[in-house]
Structures are given as C-alpha cells and as structure tokens.
Amino acid sequence: MASLEISHINKFYGATQALFDVSLSIGKGEFVTLLGPSGSGKTTLLKILAGFESVSDGAITLGGRNITELKPEVRNFGLVFQGYALFPHMTVRDNIAYPLKVRRLPRDQIETRVREMLDLVQLTRFIDRRPSELSGGQQQRVALARALVFKPDVLLLDEPMSALDKKLRVDLQEELRQIHQTLGTTFINVTHDQEEAMHMSDRIAVMNHGRIEQFDTAFNLYRNPASRFTADFIGKSNIFAGEMVRGASGLDFRGDALEVQLGLTDRPQGRVDLMVRPEDITILTEAPDAGRVALAAEVLHSTYSGDRALYALRLGSGKEISAYGAARSGIHAAGAKVFASFAPGDVTLIG
Amino acid sequence: MQKAPSTLLAAITLLVLPVAVYIALYLLPLISIGGLSVDNGALSTRFPALSAHFSDSAEVDDPAAAALLSDLQAMAKKDRAEVGRMFNQELGGMRSLIIDTGNEADEIVPTVAGLTAFDPRWGDPAIWDVVRRNVEPITWRHFQKATGVKPGADGGYSIAPGDDIYLRILLRTFVIGLQVTLLTLLIGYPLAYAVATGSSRVQAIVLMAVLLSFWTSILVRTTAWVVLLQTNGLLNGFLIWLNLITEPLQLIFNRFGTVVAMTHVLLPFAILPMINVMRTIPPAQAQASRSLGAGPIETFLRVYFPQSLRGVAVGGGTVFILALGFYVTPALTGGPGDQMLSYYIADFVRKGLNWGMASVLSLLLLVCVVGLLVTGALLRRAFGWNKAAKPEAEAA
Amino acid sequence: MSRIIYWSSLVFAFFFLVAPLLIVLPLAFNDSSFLTYPMDGFTFRWFEVFFTAPPWLASLMNSLKVALGTMIVALLVGGMAAMGTMLMGKWGQLVLSALFVSPIVIPSVVLGVAMAYAFGRMGVGGGYLSLVMAHTILAAPLVFLSVMTSLKGLDPELDRAAASMGASRWYRFQTVTLPLAMPGFATGALFAFITSFDEVVVALFLASPQSQTLPITLFSSLRDRLEPTIVVVALLLSIVSCLFIIALNRLQKRGETRN
Ligand SMILES: Nc1ncnc2c1ncn2[C@@H]1O[C@H](COP(=O)(O)OP(=O)(O)OP(=O)(O)O)[C@@H](O)[C@H]1O
Ligand SMILES: [Mg+2]
C-alpha cells in the first residue's frame, strides 16, 4: 500500500509558526479534504506536500519512501491550482500533453492519453482551443485532466471550485467524485466550504491555527466532534459547559441550570462540555414526560425555511440556544413560553 | 519559494555578459570623463623634470630653473607653442614668455638669476605660481575656466566679470528649458485632457497623433521646423500671402525658432505622463460635482485640475530634464546666442579636441540632471505620490 | 463657454502637434528645388536623387547595418540582464534595475563625449563597431524594460504548475517562461532598432566619414543647404516610424488576447 504518511511537521515563516506538529496518515486511493477557517494553514500544508515549501521539521513518506526533500518536479504529485494556471500560449491538447512530453512519451501514446483524459472530463470537442476560449468550468476540467494525465501518485487540489458559481460547483463535485472512483488515485483537496468537504471526502482533516483538530469521516466529525472547535465549526451546535458528577447509576452531567442523567461508567469525573445539535431538540408547549430533558425557554425569533424553522431560544439561565422545529402547523411567535426538550442519548460529550 | 543556490547561479550566469558590457561601454567611459576633467597629461608629460621637482618641494630655486630649462629644451617647437597657449589661458603674456625662453634655452644660465636676467618676468612669483600649478598631473584649470572662479594672488578666490561665460550659458540653458517646459505644459494639457476624457473618436485620433509624434525622430521633426521657419520658408510665405507682413520675418536662428521647435519636439514627453494621471481620475467625480451645483468651469478648476497636477509635474519634470541636455534642435534652429550647454560640449570636442573642457562641462550637465532627478524623487516621496497613484488607478 | 475654451485650445494644440509634418512632408514630391507652396507639380525626382546620390544611399545602408547590429546585441544584453535581474532578490533587483536603466537619463551629449574618448582609447573609435557599441548602451535599457515588464506580468503559478508536472527548471524556462515573454522581447527589439536608426547625437561624436548614418547626413545637410532631398529623407524616416508603431500595436494586441 503506497500510503502517504505526514509525520510531525512544523513550519515556520521567520518567527511565525504556520503549522504545529501536523501528522496525517492517508491511505492509497482515499479522498481527503483539508478544511479550516482562513489562515489555518491549509495552503501551507498543500504547498509542502507539493514540494513548493520546505518543512522546518518533520517528514513525509510515500509508500515508505521519504519524499520530504524531493523537488516538486520529481515528486509525481498532480496539482490543480486555484486559478487553474493553464498555459495561455498552448492549446488544450498541448496543455494536457505537457507532462507527457516532459516524460518523453512517444507521440502516438501522448495523443491517446490526451484523448482518454478529455473523454473523462468530457471536453473532447475543445481539444484545439486556447484556454482563453473556454469557460471557467471548462478551464477547471482541463486543469484537472492535465494534473491527472501522467498518473500522479497523489492529486492535490487547492480550492479548485472557489472561482465557480454555486450550481457549477455542485456539478463538478459530483464529477470529481466519479473521476476519483474511476481512477483510484489519492486525492487531497483544500476547501473552506463545509458542504463540499462533506459531500466528496472519505475523511476530512479539520485544521485550526496550524493544528489538525480532528481527522475523521464526515459522520464522526458531526456526531462525535473531538473538540469544541470542531463542534462549532462543523454545523450548528449548542454547547453547555459543566462537569461530570457521580449520580445514581454512574456519572451524570451537571452544568449551569442543566442536569442530564447519563449514568456513564467509562469516563473520569471532572470538567466537560456537552453538545446538542439543534435538530435533536424538540420544541414543546408543555413539559414532556420524564426520561427526556426539558428546559423552559422563551422564543426570541425564528427563521422560516419552508421545511422547518430555526428558532433562537433563551433559557431561564439567560443562555441562548438554537433549535429546529417542524413548521407544518405554524410557527411559535416571539415571546412564546416553550420547553426545549431532548433525549439524553442524543447528546455528545466533548473533552 | 526559497531561492535555491542553483537560482543564484543561473542569475549570475545570465548577468555576467550584460554587466560586463555595461561596465566596459558605459560605466568606464563615464568615469573616464571624471578623470579627463582634471587630467593634465598634456602639460605634465611635457615637463617631466619640473613636475618631478615640484612634487618634492614647492621652492622656486636653482634646480627648479634648471629643470624648467631642460624641459623646454627637450620640447619640439610646436609643443612649446602649444604649452604657451595653455599657460596663456590662465595668465596673459605667458605664451610669448614660454616661446622666447624656449628658443633661447641653450643660452640661458640655468639658475633663477640667469632666468631673471633673460626676462625679468621670471622674477615674478605669480608666473611661477601658474607654472607650478600647471605642470602637476592633476589640474583644476578646466573647472576654473568653466566656473570662472580663479585663485587670487592672496590665496582667496574670485569670479572675474566676463569670465563666468559658462555659468551664463548654464543659466541660459535653464531659462530655455523653463520656457519650453511651460509651453509644452500649456499646449499639452488640452491634448492630454482630450485623450483622457474626450469621446472615443477624439481619444483615438489625438492619441494616435501624440504617439506618431513621439516615435517620429527628433531630427525629422526639427527638419520640418527648419523648412517652415526659413526666411523664404513656408510660414513667411504664408504671412506675406495674407498681407500681414511685407518683408519676411526672422523666425529661425533665434530664440523664437529654438523655443518653438523644442516645444514641438518635446510635446509628447509632457503629454504622455499627463494622460496616465488623468486616466486615473474617475469621470464620476466631475458628474458628482455638477450634480452638487458647480458649473463646468468651476468643476474643472476645483475637482479635475488639482488632481491632474501630479501628471503636470511629472510631464514638466521630464521635459525640463530632457531639454537641459538638448543638442540637435537648438543647433539647427538657434542662433549663436541661443545655444545650450550641450552645444559647447560638442564644440569643444569637434573643434579643438579639448577633452578637458568637454568633460568638465559634461560633468556640470550631469550634476544638474542627476540633481533634478533626485529632487524629483524626494518631492514625489514628500507628496506621497508614489503610493497615492495605486488606489486611484484601482478606483478607475 | 467651457465648450469654446475646450475646443479652441484643443484644436490649436492639435494643429501645432500635427501641422508641421503634414505641411512639410508633401514637399518631397514638389517639382521645384524650392521648398515652398504652391507646388509646381508632382515628381519622384528627389527620391531618385536620394536613391542614386552616394552620400544618401551609403548612409542609409550604414544606418540599417548599425540598427540591425544594435538590435541583436541590445536584445542579447538587455534580455539577459532582465532575465538575470528577475532571478535576484528584492535589493538585487533594485540595484541592477537602476544600473541597467540609467543610460536613459544621461544626456546624449555626455554619453557621446565619454564614449568618443573611451572608445578612441580602446582603439575602436570611428567605425561601424563603435556605433553599434554606443547604440547598444542607448537601446539595451529599452529592451531591459520591456522584457522585465513582460516577465513581471507572468503568473508565477504557471511555473509551479509546470514543475508539478515534472518539468525541470530549464525545460520550464524554454516551454513556459520564454514563449510567454516573447512579446516583451519582440517589443524590445523594435525599440532597439528604432532607437539606433533615429539616433544622431552620439553618432555625431563617433562616426567617421565612412560610417556616417542617415541622421548624421541629414543633420549636416540641414546645416549646409536646404534641398528637397532633405524632405524625402524626413518622409522616409517618418514612414519607418509609422511601420514601427503598427508593428508595436500588433504586438500589444497579441499580448492582450493571450492573457
Ligand atoms: N509566505 C509566507 N510568509 C509568512 N507567513 C505566511 C506565508 N504564507 C502563509 N503565511 C501564514 O501562515 C498561516 C497559514 O496560511 P495559509 O495560506 O496556509 O492559510 P489557509 O488555510 O490556506 O488560508 P485561506 O483559507 O485564507 O487560503 C497564515 O497565518 C499566514 O499568514
Ligand atoms: Mg489558502
């Protein structure tokens, strides 16, 4: 297995540190996305993988071979640039043929491979056009074909969709996923679009301030965030600070004006955060049966989006939370007194 | 990306040839001007013995007299005439003294007393002062002549009236430069304004004319003016045909001809920077000003003109600096009283091969030009014009 | 009122800018040896004089030789200077650019004096070679500037893209950098040619009677005696300038459609 191992990378720009002890283990053929807010170090990590930036320390190995110091041109990594970086003085054919010419392939073989790639990205008609004669989406696909035509070990994509409009973006995401499945190449994608990341990736590395917060599947990131940052960054969440205290049948959560009987036995006591997703909260007008948690609340305002409504609620303690409510039979008015209710099984403990 | 050592190596490989060419063909010649301006090879090599004597002591004693006589004896007759001419530039009468003394050098007793007996002028310390200064390998003679500053007998310096001819020529160069600059700005402003704000048709026509003029050689455009302004030329013919005058006017070989032709030749250099700046002034500003109640003239004066001043300054500066070094146009359209510094530099080389004077005047011109460039750069920084240019350009 | 001021000043300035050449150049076809209107008739006789009289034709040939030589050498010197400077750090670029551009601001007369003396001492004064050498210094800054501009306009990502596909530094330079900077080199070559072809002052200091260029011959005959052939020369030189502008325009258009 030619897996890509990134171990303990630190990167300094002068005195400022852009990456802190970054480690990732990526399997062959995986589709991995680096996701994080602006300035979190995604591009820096991608440039290091491509060989355009050196590491301050740490190592990268591919299938056991150390490639940390390898120059970009001998790494055999494909790279799709944010601005595509197509050669303006070459036709689509010459652009895609470029890496094959570099590798001194015979001419007929080059032509065959170029045509195969154009088939794959559905651009065969445009083979003799210049990049300036193509639309943004078409240019994007030429860039993709060019980065894949030489069968790179890894394909790196730096925010490949950011210059496209929403509709085109969704189409291309689908196409990119199919190409990934067809070729089986390892893809590493950079984005700050959460949806894009969750749609396409096998696993997502959430980055923050130069650190990897969590590297996991989209499901686990959402349901079991390992840190408060991830919980906040991925989707909407309500977080209560508190601690684990001994209860009747194990450890229970006790926070500010909130107690949840969990009866856990596999955790230590002490400080902890409790997260409830807004869709796990039900809004009731009367207090529910025992077994569910119920918090008296006042509706602050609501945002109606057809299938449901998102409510901002203020709890008795003054804390504000958000919750989704069905909106089929009307919306709770602002100022209404309600109960926010959820099952103890739907909460996630962080920390 | 970091600069790899191989990048530096590639850079150096590429730079070797150009740097070598620039040094050999450009820097060394320029530096040689500096040397030439104080070089006294012509005199010091002709007085080897005296030069050696004075480098040890400044005394005017018998060995000095002997050295002078032996040097004069060794010289060919025409060399003595040449040397005499050079000394004469500094002190009248030296020419005949040197030639006479040289002719009789065999007969004269090689002592100070002997020399004084031959010609009493050799007893005058002022004569010896001139001789001593001028047989050294380095001389300030050319600088003195260029500036008219002379060392007095009392050790001080003075400018003799009438000796400041080159300073007056420099002044004239500046005056002509200023006249031409003002005229180019005055005539160029409407053209630049039209290119920046006119209808697309006007823009295209005027810009084409400016570019054509810019790329047509200075000599060709000067030729046109020579043909136009002659005594029997087109302009005089036209004026006579209109019955405005009966006798042809003197339009060329005077200040009028020089200034008009130079203005025309330098006009594009004023216009192009003005266009660049005016194009960054958003047209919406003028519309805003009109909507706020200002008339077109007031809008122009209060909104447009102040913003275009940066272009006026750059264009004017360019024209002025170029004008200072002008040679071709004044040489063809000016009279003797309208020639600028460049003319005299060329004249010294072409007529007399007087490299010393040519290089001193070249240095003078160079110092003026570089001084102006530095002043311009400082002014630009002081006004913050370097930075201001960018956001404006983006706004447009 | 404002319209009147605008149009009258514009018309006057425009007239001043274009009239001299427009009025004078047609006299090249005037069938009279006086340079006056009305024209006596239409003739190509003065062109014949130009193309048969030895000083004119010989100096035209000299000019072409010098301009071509200058173009080649200046392209080499200015182009290499620009490419090398691009590879240097910030301060290196600043210092080298200042050096390579500086001949532009030195008055021609000063350069003429310096070169006439120095080249004479080197033993290359007077000939074709000394003119090419001098004009190279005048033209190389223009080549440098235009190549530099086109190199600076290149997207650095393109080079990275080529590297990521496996291209070596030299291969990238050949296949990406150089072709994209081509318009800069072509523009620079044009600048170099026209600079040399039109140059008078430095040539006056350097040329020997055998290596007189067309502008020198024009300059001396202007001081000497006005004859219609002078206008023919002016016309021919103007035509060269027009061709130059057209070529320049083409190059710029091509550069724009590419990027
Ligand atoms: N060349 C550099 N010199 C100094 N600091 C840099 C350099 N490049 C990046 N940084 C710093 O490193 C940190 C990470 O930058 P990076 O470009 O990797 O962020 P990013 O996650 O790609 O952000 P974005 O989503 O905005 O593209 C930032 O704080 C940035 O300021
Ligand atoms: Mg980035």
Side-chain angles (χ1 to χ4, degrees):
Chain A
M1 277 293 268
S3 64
L4 183 65
E5 299 286 340
I6 300 163
S7 31
H8 307 294
I9 286 183
N10 286 295
K11 173 69 186 173
F12 291 88
Y13 287 114
T16 57
Q17 189 164 4
L19 292 178
F20 294 83
D21 194 37
V22 167
S23 294
L24 290 174
S25 174
I26 298 169
K28 182 173 166 57
E30 235 187 321
F31 194 136
V32 168
T33 294
L34 308 179
L35 176 67
S38 189
S40 57
K42 306 179 296 287
T43 301
T44 304
L45 181 54
L46 202 75
K47 281 188 178 160
I48 286 174
L49 290 176
F52 292 123
E53 291 283 0
S54 58
V55 298
S56 302
D57 75 89
I60 305 165
T61 60
L62 180 70
R65 194 165 69 102
N66 188 334
I67 59 165
T68 320
E69 301 294 332
L70 236 47
K71 278 199 207 158
E73 56 261 39
V74 291
R75 251 176 219 224
N76 207 38
F77 278 23
L79 184 48
V80 176
F81 290 81
Q82 192 171 353
Y84 316 139
L86 295 177
F87 302 132
H89 59 303
M90 299 181 191
T91 58
V92 168
R93 173 193 279 113
D94 290 338
N95 262 287
I96 300 178
Y98 189 88
L100 304 178
K101 286 183 184 155
V102 169
R103 288 167 175 74
R104 305 270 182 273
L105 256 65
R107 191 170 295 183
D108 50 337
Q109 214 171 320
I110 290 181
E111 182 69 15
T112 324
R113 290 269 288 275
V114 168
R115 291 205 172 263
E116 272 172 26
M117 281 324 292
L118 281 172
D119 270 353
L120 190 70
V121 297
Q122 299 162 19
L123 283 178
T124 315
R125 291 191 292 136
F126 301 108
I127 186 161
D128 286 318
R129 293 233 192 143
R130 292 275 170 103
S132 57
E133 298 160 341
L134 298 176
S135 74
Q138 290 162 346
Q139 290 182 25
Q140 165 69 67
R141 285 183 297 188
V142 174
L144 188 63
R146 188 179 69 171
L148 284 168
V149 72
F150 59 100
K151 304 200 166 114
D153 295 317
V154 177
L155 180 71
L156 307 170
L157 304 112
D158 189 5
E159 308 210 20
M161 319 273 186
S162 60
L164 304 175
D165 63 47
K166 177 95 184 159
K167 163 102 179 57
L168 201 55
R169 215 148 48 188
V170 174
D171 292 348
L172 266 165
Q173 282 170 18
E174 185 52 36
E175 205 173 316
L176 198 60
R177 215 161 58 159
Q178 272 171 14
I179 290 172
H180 174 248
Q181 271 159 14
T182 315
L183 298 178
T185 309
T186 310
F187 279 31
I188 300 178
N189 179 38
V190 162
T191 188
H192 49 232
D193 179 344
Q194 215 188 99
E195 267 179 45
E196 178 189 321
M198 296 183 86
H199 289 172
M200 295 198 297
S201 329
D202 296 323
R203 284 195 290 167
I204 298 169
V206 177
M207 295 187 70
N208 183 31
H209 291 311
R211 290 189 169 82
I212 304 279
E213 289 278 338
Q214 192 170 358
F215 183 37
D216 215 328
T217 59
F219 179 84
N220 279 339
L221 288 179
Y222 193 76
R223 294 309 315 181
N224 299 311
S227 66
R228 219 180 142 134
F229 174 81
T230 312
D232 251 347
F233 189 67
I234 310 274
K236 287 188 167 43
S237 58
N238 301 303
I239 295 174
F240 300 85
E243 55 186 340
M244 299 305 288
V245 293
R246 189 158 301 285
S249 56
L251 292 178
D252 294 333
F253 175 84
R254 188 195 302 145
D256 193 21
L258 170 71
E259 280 184 30
V260 186
Q261 291 185 358
L262 297 167
L264 297 179
T265 51
D266 54 350
R267 289 193 57 98
Q269 276 175 288
R271 250 209 49 79
V272 77
D273 286 326
L274 177 142
M275 179 195 81
V276 197
R277 294 285 181 193
E279 67 270 23
D280 291 328
I281 297 178
T282 318
I283 298 176
L284 303 168
T285 44
E286 287 160 28
D289 319 334
R292 283 181 74 88
V293 181
L295 298 165
E298 179 191 343
V299 174
L300 286 177
H301 54 81
S302 60
T303 328
Y304 176 64
S305 56
D307 55 342
R308 57 186 180 174
L310 176 64
Y311 291 94
L313 306 173
R314 180 159 46 219
L315 301 181
S317 63
K319 184 179 172 66
E320 287 177 22
I321 64 170
S322 52
Y324 284 113
R328 231 170 310 150
S329 50
I331 301 165
H332 301 289
K337 302 284 185 223
V338 295
F339 291 94
S341 154
F342 53 87
D346 287 336
V347 305
T348 307
L349 296 175
I350 303 168
Chain B
M1 203 165 55
Q2 282 171 333
K3 301 268 176 218
S6 61
T7 308
L8 195 62
L9 191 71
I12 290 170
T13 316
L14 282 166
L15 288 169
V16 167
L17 172 79
V19 170
V21 167
Y22 265 68
I23 289 176
L25 304 186
Y26 169 61
L27 291 181
L28 286 182
L30 274 190
I31 291 167
S32 74
I33 282 192
L36 269 178
S37 64
V38 294
D39 180 50
N40 197 30
L43 282 176
S44 67
T45 54
R46 283 173 175 143
F47 287 99
L50 194 58
S51 176
H53 170 84
F54 279 134
S55 66
D56 293 335
S57 82
E59 284 295 308
V60 178
D61 48 15
D62 288 348
L68 173 72
L69 284 169
S70 78
D71 284 339
L72 283 174
Q73 270 169 333
M75 262 181 244
K77 214 176 168 113
K78 96 174 165 16
D79 281 348
R80 284 202 288 266
E82 170 82 12
V83 166
R85 190 181 62 76
M86 288 191 202
F87 280 145
N88 213 50
Q89 286 176 356
E90 229 173 282
L91 195 65
M94 288 283 297
R95 187 184 147 87
S96 62
L97 178 62
I98 291 287
I99 292 178
D100 293 349
T101 311
N103 286 344
E104 306 293 327
D106 301 338
E107 318 294 323
I108 299 169
V109 185
T111 58
V112 179
L115 271 174
T116 319
F118 172 71
D119 192 318
R121 280 182 287 176
W122 284 116
D124 183 355
I127 297 270
W128 279 102
D129 252 8
V130 172
V131 172
R132 174 167 357 99
R133 265 206 314 277
N134 284 297
V135 300
E136 283 166 9
I138 283 185
T139 176
W140 299 104
R141 191 171 65 240
H142 306 305
F143 277 100
Q144 284 163 17
K145 198 171 162 208
T147 55
V149 177
K150 278 202 170 156
D154 52 357
Y157 290 86
S158 65
I159 296 186
D163 276 358
D164 53 353
I165 160 164
Y166 294 104
L167 289 186
R168 278 187 286 128
I169 288 166
L170 184 65
L171 184 67
R172 178 200 295 165
T173 305
F174 271 79
V175 169
I176 295 179
L178 272 177
Q179 291 169 333
V180 169
T181 305
L182 286 178
L183 280 173
T184 52
L185 291 178
L186 222 55
I187 300 174
Y189 196 93
L191 289 168
Y193 185 76
V195 171
T197 65
S199 68
S200 60
R201 200 198 184 91
V202 170
Q203 284 192 17
I205 294 173
V206 176
L207 185 62
M208 195 63 213
V210 172
L211 287 178
L212 262 173
S213 179
F214 184 75
W215 286 111
T216 308
S217 92
I218 290 175
L219 186 56
V220 167
R221 284 182 287 147
T222 307
T223 305
W225 282 105
V226 172
V227 173
L228 278 175
L229 297 179
Q230 285 167 79
T231 315
N232 300 314
L234 295 171
L235 194 56
N236 268 320
F238 183 62
L239 292 175
I240 291 174
W241 182 72
L242 284 179
N243 277 326
L244 283 175
I245 53 172
T246 49
E247 288 292 304
L249 295 173
Q250 182 64 35
L251 298 171
I252 195 171
F253 307 130
N254 55 18
R255 186 63 60 87
F256 174 82
T258 316
V259 170
V260 168
M262 278 182 71
T263 300
H264 182 254
V265 165
L266 287 169
L267 196 50
F269 293 94
I271 297 176
L272 291 174
M274 287 198 272
I275 292 177
N276 276 340
V277 171
M278 287 180 182
R279 277 189 169 160
T280 65
I281 303 175
Q285 288 187 355
Q287 288 158 10
S289 163
R290 297 291 291 276
S291 76
L292 296 172
I297 293 177
E298 190 177 2
T299 296
F300 174 79
L301 290 178
R302 295 174 66 141
V303 177
Y304 200 88
F305 185 69
Q307 296 192 70
S308 68
L309 277 178
R310 186 159 56 89
V312 173
V314 176
T318 310
V319 168
F320 187 64
I321 286 175
L322 287 174
L324 288 189
F326 242 51
Y327 172 63
V328 168
T329 308
L332 291 173
T333 56
D338 313 305
Q339 296 308 326
M340 302 167 72
L341 201 52
S342 294
Y343 178 87
Y344 296 90
I345 296 174
D347 218 41
F348 272 117
V349 172
R350 288 162 67 79
K351 292 235 179 79
L353 285 182
N354 187 341
W355 295 103
M357 278 311 288
S359 49
V360 166
L361 294 183
S362 292
L363 280 181
L364 192 61
L365 183 56
L366 204 55
V367 166
C368 292
V369 167
V370 172
L372 281 169
L373 284 171
V374 171
T375 314
L378 290 179
L379 278 179
R380 224 185 272 196
R381 179 170 299 181
F383 282 101
W385 279 346
N386 286 335
K387 280 172 199 142
K390 279 210 170 148
E392 277 174 28
E394 276 158 20
Chain C
M1 173 64 182
S2 60
R3 296 270 92 188
I4 296 171
I5 298 174
Y6 170 70
W7 281 106
S8 55
S9 62
L10 178 57
V11 166
F12 169 78
F14 189 76
F15 184 78
F16 180 75
L17 183 68
V18 299
L21 282 177
L22 286 188
I23 292 173
V24 169
L25 291 182
L27 292 177
F29 303 99
N30 190 8
D31 194 6
S32 146
S33 43
F34 294 106
L35 291 167
T36 47
Y37 282 99
M39 280 168 64
D40 280 359
F42 187 87
T43 181
F44 278 112
R45 150 158 89 98
W46 307 114
F47 285 81
E48 243 177 82
V49 172
F50 175 83
F51 283 109
T52 50
W56 291 115
L57 197 58
S59 56
L60 173 64
M61 287 303 153
N62 280 336
S63 271
L64 286 174
K65 271 202 303 192
V66 172
L68 278 175
T70 300
M71 186 175 93
I72 293 165
V73 182
L75 198 56
L76 203 67
V77 171
M80 286 174 80
M83 292 186 293
T85 304
M86 268 311 279
L87 294 177
M88 300 294 281
K90 188 170 156 242
W91 284 106
Q93 286 202 8
L94 216 65
V95 172
L96 286 167
S97 299
L99 168 70
F100 289 130
V101 175
S102 64
I104 286 187
V105 301
I106 311 277
S108 315
V109 169
V110 174
L111 282 178
V113 171
M115 287 170 172
Y117 177 78
F119 293 179
R121 291 287 295 264
M122 290 180 210
V124 288
Y128 166 74
L129 181 65
S130 71
L131 284 176
V132 172
M133 282 165 30
H135 284 179
T136 294
I137 292 302
L138 295 175
L142 301 174
V143 178
F144 176 84
L145 283 176
S146 63
V147 173
M148 204 66 183
T149 310
S150 67
L151 285 176
K152 281 211 163 137
L154 288 186
D155 182 358
E157 296 255 287
L158 293 179
D159 188 65
R160 290 192 188 163
S164 78
M165 288 180 275
S168 65
R169 176 192 302 284
W170 175 234
Y171 191 79
R172 294 197 306 264
F173 180 75
Q174 281 176 292
T175 54
V176 179
T177 312
L178 212 50
L180 287 173
M182 230 32 228
F185 283 92
T187 310
L190 279 178
F191 283 152
F193 185 90
I194 202 84
T195 300
S196 167
F197 197 72
D198 283 345
E199 207 283 330
V200 210
V201 179
V202 176
L204 273 174
F205 282 92
L206 289 173
S208 66
Q210 291 75 37
S211 59
Q212 287 220 347
T213 59
L214 194 53
I216 298 185
T217 314
L218 179 57
F219 183 80
S220 357
S221 43
L222 274 170
R223 298 187 112 180
D224 199 24
R225 203 173 68 81
L226 283 183
E227 46 182 15
T229 331
I230 285 173
V231 183
V232 170
V233 179
L235 181 64
L236 292 176
L237 286 172
S238 308
I239 291 172
V240 171
S241 302
C242 286
L243 292 177
F244 166 80
I245 291 183
I246 292 169
L248 204 63
N249 231 346
R250 285 262 167 91
L251 273 176
Q252 273 168 357
K253 286 241 173 70
R254 254 182 49 195
E256 272 163 25
T257 50
R258 263 186 189 175
N259 297 324

